[in-house]
């Protein structure tokens, strides 16, 4: 009679591999410092205040860029695309985003164009930040109510990789 090994009876090597995989998976989750969760920050009573929030940096499908900043998202998990809007200043130094090149279309009839871009965002040390990286932002909070829900944007003054 052949006996199938129980999943609870693993050899020492297999146990080590399973434990290492569990430890690595646990290390992939960001736990914000007290008061830095998006839900703690995005509140009407914080409107106009200096706030600090941390989470996952996301570049949604449409990045809204104006003449002085570009809007990205800070989320609670890597799977989310939208959370707390963050405006990163345009520039060439640390804590900025390189301005996007002019649109290739150039049609005066179209008010906007959708193009694939590679946003080059740098943290406070000048290191490049990519979508999914854990970051901490500090800046002034704008908050408003829409359809019974509070919506928030942070004008970023300091942008750090964690």
């Amino acid at each position: 009679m052949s006996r199938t090994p129980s999943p609870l009876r693993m050899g020492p090597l297999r146990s080590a591999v399973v434990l290492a995989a569990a430890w690595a998976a646990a290390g992939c989750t960001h736990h914000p410092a007290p008061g830095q969760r998006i839900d703690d920050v995005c509140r009407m009573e914080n409107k106009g205040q200096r706030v600090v929030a941390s989470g996952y940096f996301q570049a949604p499908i449409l990045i809204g860029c104006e003449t002085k900043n570009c809007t990205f998202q800070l989320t609670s998990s890597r799977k989310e695309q939208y959370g707390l809007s963050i405006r990163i200043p345009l520039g060439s130094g640390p804590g900025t985003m390189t301005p996007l090149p002019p649109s290739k279309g150039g049609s005066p009839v179209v008010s906007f164009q959708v193009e694939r871009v590679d946003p080059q965002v740098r943290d406070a040390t000048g290191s490049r930040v990519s979508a999914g990286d854990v970051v901490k932002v500090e800046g002034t909070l704008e908050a408003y109510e829409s359809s019974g829900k509070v919506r928030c944007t942070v004008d970023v003054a300091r942008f750090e990789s964690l």
Side-chain angles (χ1 to χ4, degrees), residues 27-104:
C28 293
T29 303
H30 171 63
H31 299 285
Q36 293 183 6
R37 288 184 25 235
I38 292 168
D39 291 342
D40 296 335
V41 171
C42 185
R43 297 174 181 248
M44 287 302 292
E45 59 264 23
N46 291 335
K47 182 177 182 177
Q49 301 296 313
R50 187 80 159 196
V51 296
V52 177
S54 65
Y56 298 93
F57 178 73
Q58 301 294 358
I61 293 171
L62 295 175
I63 299 172
C65 291
E66 298 176 15
T67 56
K68 61 181 182 171
N69 59 44
C70 283
T71 302
F72 291 87
Q73 297 290 311
L74 187 69
T75 62
S76 299
S77 76
R78 280 194 175 97
K79 293 179 181 180
E80 294 174 301
Q81 286 190 337
Y82 297 96
L84 175 66
S85 294
I86 57 174
R87 288 191 196 117
I88 298 175
L90 294 175
S92 59
T96 64
M97 178 186 144
T98 302
L100 296 173
S103 177
K104 296 174 187 163

Side-chain angles (χ1 to χ4, degrees), residues 102-137:
S103 177
K104 296 174 187 163
S107 170
V109 177
V110 180
S111 61
F112 71 93
Q113 288 199 238
V114 177
E115 297 178 37
R116 182 174 298 278
V117 296
D118 179 23
Q120 294 182 20
V121 179
R122 291 165 296 281
D123 69 5
T125 67
S127 297
R128 185 150 181 201
V129 177
S130 299
D133 288 353
V134 176
V135 299
K136 180 169 73 172
V137 298

